[in-house]
Amino acid sequence: MVDDTPPDDEPDEDRDRTDENPPSPDGSPTDDGEITDDMSETDTDDLLQEIERKRSLRGISVVVLATVGITFSLFQLWLAARGFTFEATLPGIGTVRLASLQQLQIRAIHVNFALVMAFLLYPLSDGTGAISRRLGRIPPAVRDRFGDGPVTAVVDRFAAVLSWFFVDEDHDRILPADIVLIGLSLLPTIYYATSYKEVTDVVRLFGLRRAATLGEIVPALEPIAVGPLATYSVAYLMGVLAILLVLEATRRALGLLLTVLVSIFIVYGRYGWLIPRDAPGIGLLATSELRWDQVVQNLWYTVEGILGVPVSVSVRFIYIFILFGAFLEMSGAGKWFIDLAYSMTGTRKGGPAKASVVSSGFMGMLSGSSVANTVTTGALTIPLMKRSGYSPEFSGAVESSVSSGGQILPPVMGAAAFLIVEFTGTPFRDVIIAATLPAIAFFFGMWIMVHFEAVKHDIGGLTRMELLDIWPHMKHGWFYLVPLGLLLYYIVIARLSIGRAGWFTIIATVTLIALVAAYDEDIGQVLLGTIFALFTATIVTQYLAGTTPIGFILGDGGAGLGVVAALRASIPSLATIILAVSVISLLARPFGEAPLLELDDTVYEAADAIDETVGNGFASTRAGAFGTFVIKSLDNGARTATVVVVAVAAAGVIPGIINLTGLGGSLRSLILTVSGGSFVVLLLLTGISAIIVGMGMPTTVMYIIIVVLLGPTMQEFGVALLGAHLFVLYFGLMADVTPPVAVAAYAAAGIAKSDAFETGRQAFLLSLNKILVPFAFIFAPGVMFLRQRENGEWVTLVASDFADIGFLVPEVIVPVVGMFAGVYALGPSIIGHYRTTVRLPARLAFGVAGLLLSAPGLILMPSGTILGMVGIDVVAFTLTSDIALRAVGGVMLVTLLVRNSRRADAEKGDEGEPADPTPTAA
């Protein structure tokens, strides 16, 4: 259970301390209400780079990296806006088509960009690896043997050249080896772009052996076509090269674990036929004999391998939403939402921790990375939690737990939601509807637990004078809510595709920031008036001639539209009008004040760096700040997306090999054998597997592996497809806070300066809602607003379902209330406090009550199996027994709460204090 004792450096008597005067920036709010932290931006970046093993580049290297990243983002924006056709309209010439690419070509380019970014961002070696250490022993050994002679000098010189070429000890320079790998990474993509006809007409029909060799493609290169270049086709060599480069990028960005796992699957695809078919158990994994060219063809030249579904989702959905998150973060929305959370909850009991629950959930939703969110948001929230009285371990545990939970919070849900959309064929709108209540239940449970911890140690909140006033703060940054509102409108109401919704929302964000940057008291009315006039003119010209004002002037109009149709046709041009007017205003008055503009600090730091390099101060003006905001967002989006793209490319190997070898059916048989046909055992096996596989791996990789391996088996038990995928996602996120890996918890411990393992242990306990909640919606799909029709199809609830009381009450309302009551019961069980100390037997009873309230099926289904084993054929898990067991759990919870309340009143009476007749409200 969570540690009850205060840290050694924070005595109990100081736990409820709230300073009268706001302190200086030491991890607390300042006297003007602006929250600061005791970790500088540099410290936060250094910690994140240490965890993610990224380089800290300087000078021309930064320019090269930013150029590649910005180009990558612009490429993806074009795909979202215009599709796979690249063309431009030139005055006097007309439309010029530059290229029209196919899906596999686009995916290859997408992966190629990520490979280049990975080779620039992550070092090949820092000299601390096993191979580097062994090679490093050679020069001293030679010196000991030959002294300081010419042999030693040659060896030292050779070692220095190798180190210069391959080793980046300080993580601050691009190596010659990186440049070579970047050049090599371009070759498979160039082949895809220039020889796609051979891929479709030869490789797909006859295999890689029939493809042309180097001498056949380029006769002039026939003299150098020796060895492999003469023996193997260019298509085969390019496929092998692409696979090896993806593995190297995976090793750099994600570590050896995933690299080894993917390599094992590749080797299994080639040599799985050597497994004896008659071997007990493992014989199920035997495959047909395959050649290397067949494996390479499947992994690189089809939509079932590296360029398969995961990369497709990244091209169409994931990248554009990562980019949206980058634009929103760079706009200053992240800091504004954190300040808003503190303004709303900071004065409550344990307010800083409650604000962390709210703000970190929001930021985690956008970032899609538990570690990145823990480090960036935790740099602000953890010091404030410590200052208010929470122990360092508990502070780090809260931050890491809610940060990892951000990926289950709609409407963005990190990157996993888009994979769910693709793998299940479910509209994104239905995914976020299904995920909403379970996510709220998790964060509600976190809120309850930090509240009980605050009551337990009498931890107060911050004073109102230490916080920003809510309404002035809302007035200053209300426009940050507009992009999120538009995103929900585009997806839920307008039902646009995910890519189009992301594109429109990014444009809306850029437009808003341009308007905010251009607005000031001097020309505010003129600015808004101009926008209104141009928009009105657009409506008029649409009404008169069905065209824009420019088209009307050029005489391109035709038949006019009705009033409503004209208004509707004019709305899409509003963003263009606002952006154009705002940019013109910024260029005309670049040095004016922008009272509403408060971009992220990294934008201003980048602007200062540009000014220092260029030698003028334009980048620091409001016009320059807007331009820097756009560039920084494009760059940051690419950097964040790189690890995701590399991860999904590597993970694509696993379903590719499974499909090639037919391993899926064998695995299902093996899993059913291991589970003994028990649904509960299968769920437990799936959950444990997700946690183990998710340790040290990105959520997207974990999700792909577990869903491919175990997802189909879950469906055989009648589980809603969407529920099975969300179940895997929830358990996979537990890996980020599960010792001994617990990457998010250990990152939080670095900020909290706490014991890493204890922080991870407490984070795991605080995150047990991530285990309770998925069991709740698996056994009661109504929690996800799903209902099974007569044909067996699971569909999202419609109005008629809500009108069906006979369905709504037992299948939706009762399970929802039970789920929330269950996570509430988990609070006293984990924290060990409800108005007074909860003793161990009562803590166990609270846990049992939470289980009965949330997921009685976990008890009923095994009970039916056990009864069947003794000859009693009965269906234990029915709607009636489900409701009855929830009622038992409810009675247990109320009884435990009343008993603890009475004991608390009695203890107060014994101490001569007036009894408190009402329980503490959360």
Side-chain angles (χ1 to χ4, degrees):
M1 298 301 174
V2 175
D3 189 6
D4 300 344
T5 59
D8 294 337
D9 59 344
E10 290 189 65
D12 280 344
E13 58 267 26
D14 291 337
R15 280 190 173 274
D16 58 350
R17 172 179 59 83
T18 302
D19 295 343
E20 293 294 332
N21 298 319
S24 57
D26 62 349
S28 60
T30 59
D31 55 1
D32 63 354
E34 183 179 353
I35 299 172
T36 61
D37 59 84
D38 63 353
M39 286 192 72
S40 67
E41 190 73 36
T42 302
D43 293 336
T44 302
D45 291 342
D46 290 344
L47 178 60
L48 188 58
Q49 286 180 341
E50 180 181 349
I51 294 171
E52 296 182 339
R53 303 181 298 275
K54 285 183 179 179
R55 283 180 169 132
S56 299
L57 298 175
R58 300 288 185 273
I60 189 63
S61 299
V62 175
V63 177
V64 172
L65 176 61
T67 301
V68 175
I70 292 168
T71 305
F72 192 6
S73 294
L74 291 175
F75 173 75
Q76 290 299 138
L77 285 174
W78 181 278
L79 295 181
R82 304 293 295 274
F84 295 172
T85 300
F86 295 82
E87 58 187 16
T89 302
L90 302 177
I93 299 178
T95 300
V96 177
R97 175 166 293 189
L98 303 176
S100 181
L101 303 179
Q102 302 299 315
Q103 282 195 11
L104 279 177
Q105 292 175 309
I106 291 291
R107 296 179 193 181
I109 295 171
H110 183 76
V111 171
N112 199 164
F113 267 119
L115 293 179
V116 174
M117 292 289 293
F119 295 146
L120 293 175
L121 277 172
Y122 300 94
L124 186 152
S125 171
D126 58 6
T128 60
I131 296 176
S132 297
R133 289 198 305 271
R134 289 187 176 90
L135 293 176
R137 298 190 190 110
I138 295 177
V142 172
R143 179 172 281 101
D144 292 340
R145 177 70 176 81
F146 297 101
D148 293 329
V151 174
T152 303
V154 171
V155 171
D156 286 343
R157 181 61 179 169
F158 184 69
V161 171
L162 283 180
S163 178
W164 170 78
F165 198 86
F166 291 107
V167 180
D168 178 15
E169 293 182 356
D170 299 322
H171 291 202
D172 61 356
R173 70 185 183 95
I174 298 174
L175 302 172
D178 297 324
I179 298 174
V180 172
L181 290 177
I182 289 171
L184 290 175
S185 74
L186 299 176
L187 298 180
T189 306
I190 292 173
Y191 174 78
Y192 245 125
T194 58
S195 304
Y196 191 71
K197 185 174 178 57
E198 182 179 48
V199 172
T200 56
D201 295 349
V202 178
V203 172
R204 287 185 182 176
L205 296 177
F206 306 106
L208 289 172
R209 290 184 171 186
R210 296 285 297 274
T213 61
L214 179 63
E216 293 171 339
I217 294 178
V218 186
L221 297 179
E222 179 70 31
I224 66 170
V226 295
L229 294 178
T231 306
Y232 300 105
S233 67
V234 172
Y236 175 74
L237 294 175
M238 292 301 99
V240 171
L241 178 61
I243 293 169
L244 293 176
L245 290 173
V246 168
L247 289 175
E248 168 58 14
T250 304
R251 183 193 67 84
R252 294 194 189 196
L254 299 161
L256 274 175
L257 179 61
L258 180 58
T259 308
V260 171
L261 179 63
V262 172
S263 301
I264 289 173
F265 268 89
I266 294 175
V267 173
Y268 169 77
R270 174 65 178 87
Y271 296 109
W273 64 277
L274 295 175
I275 299 174
R277 293 185 180 273
D278 56 353
I282 197 174
L284 290 172
L285 303 180
T287 68
S288 301
E289 184 175 359
L290 296 170
R291 302 185 307 271
W292 274 121
D293 60 288
Q294 293 173 305
V295 174
V296 171
Q297 178 181 342
N298 179 266
L299 292 183
W300 186 245
Y301 292 103
T302 71
V303 293
E304 294 182 349
I306 292 174
L307 305 182
V309 170
V311 167
S312 171
V313 175
S314 179
V315 170
R316 293 184 293 146
F317 307 147
I318 295 176
Y319 195 104
I320 201 71
F321 271 82
I322 289 176
L323 198 56
F324 164 62
F327 272 98
L328 201 59
E329 182 182 358
M330 292 299 105
S331 71
K335 183 177 183 303
W336 183 84
F337 274 105
I338 292 175
D339 289 341
L340 179 63
Y342 274 93
S343 298
M344 296 173 64
T345 65
T347 58
R348 297 173 179 266
K349 203 163 191 67
K354 293 175 179 176
S356 173
V357 171
V358 176
S359 59
S360 298
F362 170 80
M363 294 303 296
M365 170 187 69
L366 293 177
S367 71
S369 169
S370 302
V371 175
N373 187 36
T374 298
V375 173
T376 53
T377 311
L380 178 65
T381 60
I382 290 175
L384 283 172
M385 283 189 276
K386 289 173 59 180
R387 174 182 172 269
S388 67
Y390 290 104
S391 70
E393 285 75 17
F394 189 85
S395 301
V398 169
E399 178 57 46
S400 57
S401 183
V402 294
S403 292
S404 63
Q407 295 183 67
I408 60 176
L409 185 64
V412 180
M413 298 175 63
F418 308 115
L419 288 168
I420 293 175
V421 168
E422 191 69 13
F423 276 109
T424 64
T426 306
F428 188 69
R429 169 181 173 271
D430 293 345
V431 173
I432 62 176
I433 289 174
T436 296
L437 281 183
I440 294 174
F442 165 72
F443 283 97
F444 170 74
M446 286 297 305
W447 181 286
I448 291 299
M449 283 190 273
V450 299
H451 174 79
F452 286 153
E453 180 77 5
V455 174
K456 179 179 182 179
H457 294 294
D458 195 21
I459 299 173
L462 303 173
T463 63
R464 174 48 62 186
M465 65 180 294
E466 293 178 289
L467 300 168
L468 295 169
D469 291 332
I470 295 178
W471 293 115
H473 184 64
M474 286 290 294
K475 182 179 178 181
H476 185 77
W478 62 268
F479 49 84
Y480 288 125
L481 297 170
V482 173
L484 290 176
L486 285 175
L487 178 63
L488 288 173
Y489 168 78
Y490 291 140
I491 293 175
V492 178
I493 299 176
R495 301 197 179 194
L496 298 181
S497 67
I498 300 175
R500 295 294 287 173
W503 159 254
F504 285 141
T505 310
I506 289 174
I507 293 300
T509 304
V510 174
T511 301
L512 276 172
I513 300 305
L515 180 61
V516 169
Y519 181 87
D520 61 36
E521 295 181 356
D522 294 336
I523 67 162
Q525 294 183 350
V526 175
L527 183 71
L528 297 178
T530 303
I531 293 171
F532 178 77
L534 290 175
F535 183 60
T536 302
T538 303
I539 296 174
V540 171
T541 56
Q542 289 285 357
Y543 175 76
L544 295 176
T547 186
T548 62
I550 296 178
F552 186 77
I553 294 173
L554 297 176
D556 295 336
L561 305 176
V563 175
V564 175
L567 178 60
R568 190 172 297 165
S570 302
I571 289 176
S573 64
L574 181 58
T576 305
I577 294 171
I578 295 174
L579 186 60
V581 172
S582 300
V583 170
I584 291 172
S585 176
L586 285 171
L587 294 176
R589 302 173 69 251
F591 297 98
E593 294 293 330
L596 298 179
L597 186 66
E598 192 172 351
L599 301 172
D600 189 79
D601 291 341
T602 57
V603 175
Y604 294 114
E605 291 171 5
D608 291 339
I610 293 173
D611 283 340
E612 184 177 348
T613 302
V614 176
N616 61 45
F618 180 79
S620 297
T621 65
R622 63 177 182 174
F626 171 72
T628 307
F629 152 73
V630 175
I631 292 173
K632 185 69 175 174
S633 299
L634 294 171
D635 181 30
N636 268 31
R639 293 181 186 223
T640 303
T642 294
V643 67
V644 178
V645 178
V646 171
V648 297
V653 169
I654 295 173
I657 293 295
I658 289 175
N659 292 331
L660 178 64
T661 60
L663 179 62
S666 300
L667 279 175
R668 281 193 285 276
S669 300
L670 183 61
I671 292 165
L672 289 172
T673 301
V674 172
S675 65
S678 169
F679 179 50
V680 172
V681 173
L682 175 63
L683 290 177
L684 294 174
L685 178 64
T686 302
I688 294 171
S689 301
I691 293 175
I692 293 174
V693 173
M695 289 182 177
M697 286 193 189
T699 307
T700 49
V701 176
M702 173 283 306
Y703 167 82
I704 293 169
I705 294 173
I706 298 300
V707 162
V708 169
L709 295 180
L710 299 176
T713 309
M714 293 179 68
Q715 288 181 256
E716 293 183 12
F717 286 87
V719 176
L721 179 61
L722 190 53
H725 285 247
L726 287 175
F727 183 89
V728 170
L729 176 60
Y730 269 72
F731 271 88
L733 291 173
M734 280 295 294
D736 292 335
V737 291
T738 301
V741 180
V743 287
Y746 292 166
I751 300 172
K753 298 177 176 60
S754 61
D755 179 81
F757 185 82
E758 179 61 20
T759 302
R761 185 184 72 87
Q762 294 194 26
F764 175 81
L765 292 173
L766 292 175
S767 297
L768 285 178
N769 284 324
K770 288 201 200 85
I771 294 178
L772 192 62
V773 168
F775 279 112
F777 62 66
I778 280 291
F779 287 107
V783 169
M784 299 180 290
F785 296 114
L786 294 178
R787 183 176 187 177
Q788 192 171 26
R789 300 301 186 199
E790 293 181 357
N791 60 1
E793 181 185 5
W794 290 95
V795 296
T796 301
L797 300 185
V798 295
S800 60
D801 295 314
F802 287 99
D804 184 358
I805 302 300
F807 164 80
L808 185 68
V809 173
E811 304 259 12
V812 179
I813 295 179
V814 170
V816 168
V817 173
M819 179 177 65
F820 278 88
V823 298
Y824 184 91
L826 203 58
S829 178
I830 299 299
I831 302 300
H833 189 89
Y834 178 79
R835 297 196 63 203
T836 187
T837 302
V838 180
R839 295 165 182 163
L840 181 58
R843 294 175 78 165
L844 295 175
F846 269 114
V848 172
L851 179 61
L852 294 177
L853 281 162
S854 298
L858 269 177
I859 297 175
L860 290 171
M861 292 195 74
S863 299
T865 303
I866 294 172
L867 290 174
M869 293 173 63
V870 298
I872 302 175
D873 189 11
V874 62
V875 179
F877 184 35
T878 63
L879 186 59
T880 302
S881 60
D882 179 89
I883 295 176
L885 218 54
R886 291 183 194 272
V888 172
V891 171
M892 286 182 61
L893 176 59
V894 172
T895 302
L896 290 166
L897 294 177
V898 170
R899 287 182 59 186
N900 233 58
S901 297
R902 288 176 178 173
R903 189 161 62 85
D905 293 340
E907 290 172 356
K908 288 183 179 180
D910 292 341
E911 296 173 2
E913 299 178 9
D916 182 3
T918 58
T920 302

